[in-house]
Amino acid sequence: MIDPDTFKAAVGRFASGVTVVTVSSAGTLHGMTASAFSSLSLDPPLVLVCVARAAWMHDLLVPADGFGVNLLAADQADIAAWFATPDRPPGPAQFDGLRWEPAQGSGAPVLAGSLAHLDCAVHDVVPGGDHTIVLGRVSSANVVEDSAPLVYFRGRFGHFVEGPPAP
């Protein structure tokens, strides 16, 4: 069995983009920072996000009809940190001071300044250890900003530095 600290150190070497997953479920708003996000399929258009079963978001997202995914820009590290606070309860106060609007389909908050936003219908829910994998069928996507992404690497938020194009 692998030691949990060694496992975390190893997977922490994988740089990932940073998202804020949002939901409006039974009138309750909530957002959660997630780097465990991926595109899954083009036909149909599917994405996945992994949510800890102990997180506030889990009990709101799993039974929800839909959710939003905000892909964060490099200058949004403060927003990522805000939504990464695990004990922050759901509710409209979580969005105080932020510019946002509800997505047309799910009603989930779309955060201003994000690189892009995906509006998703919950397609399937799959157990995954101490997490749940939520598959979302993308009903709409908006590319908002054309700037660098926020990345997560070795437990910290950082900036993407563009290198030469891949061969």
Side-chain angles (χ1 to χ4, degrees):
M1 191 76 162
I2 187 170
D3 170 66
D5 291 335
T6 302
F7 178 69
K8 284 174 64 174
V11 297
R13 290 340 190 240
F14 179 72
S16 62
V18 182
T19 69
V20 171
V21 177
T22 56
V23 67
S24 176
S25 180
T28 300
L29 298 176
H30 192 55
M32 173 195 83
T33 299
S35 58
F37 163 82
S38 179
S39 61
L40 179 62
S41 170
L42 285 174
D43 187 19
L46 298 174
V47 296
L48 67 82
V49 63
C50 302
V51 183
R53 288 193 320 239
W56 285 101
M57 179 60 90
H58 186 274
D59 293 339
L60 294 169
L61 180 58
V62 169
D65 291 331
F67 62 96
V69 181
N70 298 272
L71 288 80
L72 298 187
D75 63 355
Q76 292 182 303
D78 56 335
I79 291 173
W82 174 258
F83 285 103
T85 305
D87 59 350
R88 191 176 312 284
Q94 192 181 32
F95 294 88
D96 284 353
L98 298 176
R99 290 183 308 125
W100 67 275
E101 60 185 46
Q104 286 189 354
S106 67
V110 176
L111 300 174
S114 297
L115 296 175
H117 179 267
L118 306 171
D119 198 24
C120 305
V122 173
H123 181 75
D124 202 359
V125 176
V126 181
D130 60 358
H131 281 59
T132 296
I133 303 161
V134 179
L135 304 180
R137 186 176 184 134
V138 180
S139 57
S140 68
N142 295 322
V143 177
V144 183
E145 295 290 330
D146 189 18
S147 59
L150 183 63
V151 296
Y152 189 71
F153 180 70
R154 291 176 56 180
R156 294 188 303 250
F157 298 120
H159 299 261
F160 171 76
V161 178
E162 192 167 349

